[in-house]
Amino acid sequence: MTDIYEDIRIVVQRHREQAAAEERSLVVDFFRRAPHHIAHCFDAADAIEAKEHLK
């Protein structure tokens, strides 16, 4: 028999991961639309896509 609390924990964790991925995508899109003279925005977008900000 499966523990209901473990199932809930798995669903919540999956939801958190999905929300984080969506938020990263929005931030990367925002940085990619920055004016071209702001090169560090593109570097930041690359780092976020590579998940380097989590290290």
Side-chain angles (χ1 to χ4, degrees):
M1 182 182 269
T2 307
D3 182 17
I4 187 72
Y5 295 109
E6 181 65 17
D7 292 344
I8 292 170
R9 187 191 66 74
I10 291 168
V11 170
V12 168
Q13 182 62 30
R14 198 172 298 147
H15 177 72
R16 276 190 204 139
E17 291 169 0
Q18 181 181 358
E22 291 172 5
E23 186 173 351
R24 275 193 305 274
S25 176
L26 291 172
V27 170
V28 167
D29 288 342
F30 175 79
F31 282 144
R32 296 269 186 238
R33 286 184 276 123
H36 292 288
H37 65 278
I38 306 176
H40 63 275
C41 286
F42 293 105
D43 295 338
D46 292 339
I48 292 169
E49 283 183 325
K51 296 184 180 178
E52 292 178 11
H53 65 292
L54 299 175
K55 296 178 183 176

